[in-house]
Amino acid sequence: MSLLLAFADEAELARRLATALGWTLSLVEVHTFPDAETRLRLPPVLPPHTAVLRGLQGPNGKLAPLLLAAAGARELGAQRLTLVSPYLAYMRQDMAFTPGEVVSQRHLGRLLAGAFDAVITVDPHLHRVATMDDVVPGRRGVALTAAPLLGGLVAQLVPGALLMAPDEEAGQWVRAAAAAHGLDHAVCHKQRHGDHDVAVSLPDQDVRGRAVVLLDDVASTGRTLIAAARGALAQGALSVDVAVTHALFVGDALQQVQACGVRHVWSTDCVAHSSNAVSVVPLLAAAVQTVQALDLPGDATAAAAWAAASASPR
């Protein structure tokens, strides 16, 4: 038997994932003290294989409770602990661009490796690091991609669309989505001058009269999407839509994207958002089952003990 732990703000995604897995779901009880510290409560006894669902959008308030929950889960019986994090924060800073910069990807990865046996995520920023195994050294790292799912949605809703990556880093996802569904694709070039200041150059490809869909892993401030959308429309694109894996859309970013002429915005449910149109639950469930099969050969004695303890009155 296996258990999925989750926090209340992700209860809906957790319920769907637990159902897909056929697992028991338990929500972590969280009490916040006046000084902003938290007290957590987990089930008194946990099964040998336990997974924790925690997306790390808005990470600073989530990391301490997550690491505390992981440590508590170990004490309560979890022998193999898997983190399912549909959005994994701090992946962009994968090198020191100026002297003294802290490489957040490296250090967050080590923290997670110390707490979990496996980390599963979707479309993480891996550009100068080859695999998720490198991010969580000594542990199993799984990087899933939602690009083919988004490509399938685009193929259904905008047949014959031109998939366009708003920058080179998004090229990997656009190529995967295009290859899965036989769509044309192109990659823009981006120059970033600041958090809200970017310049995007369109590729040497005629977009006149074409339906363009910008596909990216993350929409945060929306500035890159806005620049690419304006460029495509200025060059005669018939329409511009947006498909993203992680719909962060900080502040009024969504409204700004729509105001620049974007027709539709679609996203996956990695991050709960009004634009959610595709579910990654089947991807996550399959990955969790694979990790369980590989990492937990099956301790029948421990499983029986957990089942007995769970059934006993408390």
Side-chain angles (χ1 to χ4, degrees):
M1 300 179 70
S2 301
L3 177 73
L4 178 66
L5 289 172
F7 291 77
D9 59 335
E10 292 181 300
E12 177 55 32
L13 181 62
R15 278 191 286 268
R16 290 188 278 118
L17 179 56
T19 298
L21 288 166
W23 287 16
T24 301
L25 171 64
S26 181
L27 296 182
V28 178
E29 294 182 24
V30 180
H31 174 77
T32 303
F33 292 104
D35 60 3
E37 290 187 9
T38 55
R39 180 184 67 214
L40 308 180
R41 184 179 180 184
L42 310 180
V45 183
L46 296 182
H49 191 279
T50 297
V52 182
L53 173 69
R54 197 51 168 153
L56 288 177
Q57 58 275 16
N60 292 355
K62 295 179 178 179
L63 280 169
L66 173 62
L67 294 173
L68 289 171
R74 296 286 192 191
E75 292 181 338
L76 295 169
Q79 298 176 9
R80 292 290 186 273
L81 195 58
T82 299
L83 173 62
V84 181
S85 187
Y87 176 72
L88 194 57
Y90 287 118
M91 291 295 102
R92 297 187 184 203
Q93 187 78 25
D94 56 6
M95 66 173 289
F97 296 95
T98 61
E101 280 187 345
V102 175
V103 183
S104 56
Q105 182 190 94
R106 179 189 307 151
H107 299 295
L108 178 63
R110 288 173 179 171
L111 281 173
L112 296 179
F116 296 94
D117 298 290
V119 176
I120 298 170
T121 189
V122 183
D123 288 336
H125 244 68
L126 298 177
H127 299 297
R128 282 164 286 266
V129 176
T131 68
M132 273 300 297
D133 284 339
D134 297 323
V135 175
V136 284
R139 302 298 192 180
R140 186 177 303 280
V142 179
L144 306 171
T145 180
L149 295 177
L150 291 170
L153 180 72
V154 170
Q156 176 186 354
L157 298 180
V158 194
L162 171 64
L163 283 183
M164 187 175 290
D167 56 28
E168 294 89 342
E169 293 180 344
Q172 60 179 304
W173 294 296
V174 163
R175 286 187 286 270
H181 300 282
L183 296 169
D184 293 339
H185 69 280
V187 179
C188 298
H189 173 71
K190 179 176 74 174
Q191 288 183 306
R192 179 176 291 281
H193 306 293
D195 290 342
H196 298 272
D197 184 9
V198 298
V200 174
S201 301
L202 266 65
D204 294 329
Q205 187 158 345
D206 191 358
V207 300
R208 288 176 296 177
R210 298 206 63 176
V212 173
V213 178
L214 300 172
L215 192 149
D216 207 349
D217 62 325
V218 179
S220 180
T221 66
R223 299 302 174 183
T224 301
L225 294 171
I226 290 169
R230 285 175 174 166
L233 291 169
Q235 291 192 16
L238 178 65
S239 62
V240 176
D241 300 310
V242 165
V244 296
T245 301
H246 305 111
L248 302 184
F249 289 114
V250 178
D252 66 348
L254 178 61
Q255 290 73 26
Q256 292 290 331
V257 167
Q258 293 169 327
C260 81
V262 167
R263 184 177 57 168
H264 300 297
V265 176
W266 303 298
S267 66
T268 76
D269 56 358
C270 283
V271 177
H273 191 265
S274 60
S275 63
N276 289 170
V278 175
S279 179
V280 296
V281 166
L283 278 180
L284 296 175
V288 172
Q289 290 168 336
T290 298
V291 166
Q292 184 186 34
L294 292 174
D295 284 353
L296 189 67
D299 186 341
T301 301
W306 175 74
S310 300
S312 62
R314 289 185 290 270

